[in-house]
Amino acid sequence: MRQIEFNMRVQLLPSTIENGVVTKKQHLSCFVIDDKVAIDAGCLAMSTNQLQKEQIRDVILTHAHIDHVAGLPLFIDDLFATIDKPVEIYASEEVIKVLKADIFNWEVYPDFSELDNENGVVLKYCPFLENSEFEVEHLKVKAISVNHKVPTVGFLVSDGKSKFAISGDTSEMEGFWKAINDEEDLGALLIECAFPDRLTELAQESHHFTPSRLEKELAKFKHKNCRIYVINIKPMYYDAVRSEILDLAIDNLEILSVGKVYDL
């Protein structure tokens, strides 16, 4: 029987609860690829299913803001006794420095890099250079500098059969577009849009997009038939941003649904 090959499966994990029910809004950022690799870890401990908890030992970080790393210490804590392969955190040197100084510092949370279980090391830092490519599990990942308030990267991710790009948090940029425009057979682009247009000044100050600014920015994107998914909408403004994005009627663009598994 011929084995069926699938493209990468990507899921934005749920993170926001209202009236006891998970909603379509997104307080925390955590994307899981093929149930094995996480990009960011905002709700990694809280929203992963059992298979994902058993398999995810590689976490790739865009930057160190709390909505992107909050679930990481709890994830390692939950699994501490059973980890037989260390959780490897792939991040820039600047992000690793923040994690060590401000999270895994014994005051906010234990420094798991100093602790072993009966199987050995439980946490390992794997620094990468911006604009470089590295391997994680079955994936090849390229870190690409983007334009946020703190050192931040987006990623180009490939499993050898398909590839997608994810911006992380960003505002207007150039290098990211050059990197992904040069790629062939790009399956999807995941790009942020945090605030509605009425908060343009706040978006500019915090280095985020609004729908109008995103529309202008997408003029730099050369893959005109590529699927585009909007991510990282601030939850308090979800309805407003969604409405403004739909009004723009940008070709091939939709808002990424929380919890849905996408075949990219």
Side-chain angles (χ1 to χ4, degrees):
M1 181 180 295
R2 184 174 65 88
Q3 185 176 1
I4 299 174
E5 291 190 354
F6 294 96
N7 291 338
M8 283 179 288
R9 289 166 288 113
V10 178
Q11 181 186 29
L12 169 58
L13 296 185
S15 66
T16 302
I17 297 173
E18 294 178 348
N19 300 317
V21 178
V22 173
T23 78
K24 57 192 174 184
K25 299 177 183 178
Q26 179 190 354
H27 271 100
L28 305 172
S29 182
C30 183
F31 299 84
V32 172
I33 305 172
D34 294 337
D35 293 323
K36 291 182 178 180
V37 176
I39 294 180
D40 288 336
C43 52
L44 185 63
M46 299 78 98
S47 300
T48 39
N49 61 36
Q50 188 58 40
L51 177 63
Q52 291 165 344
K53 291 182 191 299
E54 293 172 357
Q55 293 191 156
I56 294 173
R57 295 297 180 267
D58 299 281
V59 181
I60 313 168
L61 299 179
T62 59
H63 64 299
H65 277 163
I66 195 67
D67 51 326
H68 296 258
V69 302
L72 183 56
L74 297 174
F75 182 75
I76 300 171
D77 195 1
D78 285 346
L79 300 175
F80 182 88
T82 59
I83 290 174
D84 56 10
K85 175 185 180 297
V87 175
E88 297 190 343
I89 301 175
Y90 293 80
S92 67
E93 291 281 8
E94 293 92 340
V95 169
I96 292 173
K97 182 178 179 181
V98 172
L99 295 179
K100 290 179 176 180
D102 299 326
I103 296 179
F104 297 110
N105 60 7
W106 291 109
E107 295 179 355
V108 173
Y109 225 71
D111 183 353
F112 288 116
S113 68
E114 296 181 357
L115 299 176
D116 296 348
N117 65 11
E118 63 179 12
N119 300 311
V121 176
V122 298
L123 169 61
K124 179 182 177 182
Y125 294 107
C126 302
F128 58 68
L129 297 175
E130 294 181 359
N131 304 312
S132 67
E133 187 175 79
F134 53 96
E135 294 187 2
V136 181
E137 276 283 339
H138 59 302
L139 305 174
K140 288 187 177 181
V141 182
K142 184 176 183 179
I144 309 167
S145 300
V146 296
N147 180 21
H148 196 36
K149 195 72 172 179
V150 297
T152 304
V153 297
F155 297 112
L156 181 68
V157 184
S158 172
D159 67 349
K161 302 185 294 291
S162 59
K163 69 182 71 168
F164 72 93
I166 181 169
S167 71
D169 287 351
T170 190
S171 56
E172 287 78 2
M173 52 192 171
E174 300 300 332
F176 181 82
W177 297 118
K178 184 180 186 306
I180 68 173
N181 284 338
D182 288 344
E183 293 292 326
E184 296 182 0
D185 303 321
L186 188 69
L189 166 66
L190 281 59
I191 189 163
E192 80 117 78
C193 187
F195 293 104
D197 286 334
R198 66 182 176 83
L199 294 177
T200 293
E201 184 175 344
L202 175 59
Q204 290 175 331
E205 180 63 27
S206 57
H207 292 209
H208 286 290
F209 283 128
T210 66
S212 292
R213 294 174 68 197
L214 175 60
E215 181 183 34
K216 293 177 181 177
E217 190 72 4
L218 286 173
K220 304 173 185 176
F221 187 41
K222 304 303 183 184
H223 298 279
K224 299 306 180 184
N225 295 320
C226 183
R227 291 170 290 168
I228 303 170
Y229 297 101
V230 173
I231 59 172
N232 296 359
I233 301 173
K234 296 294 184 183
M236 289 299 294
Y237 309 110
Y238 179 88
D239 291 335
V241 172
R242 179 180 182 277
S243 177
E244 291 177 4
I245 286 174
L246 293 178
D247 287 344
L248 292 172
I250 298 171
D251 289 343
N252 304 315
L253 183 146
E254 64 181 90
I255 294 171
L256 194 79
S257 294
V258 172
K260 179 179 177 180
V261 178
Y262 288 82
D263 184 2
L264 302 184

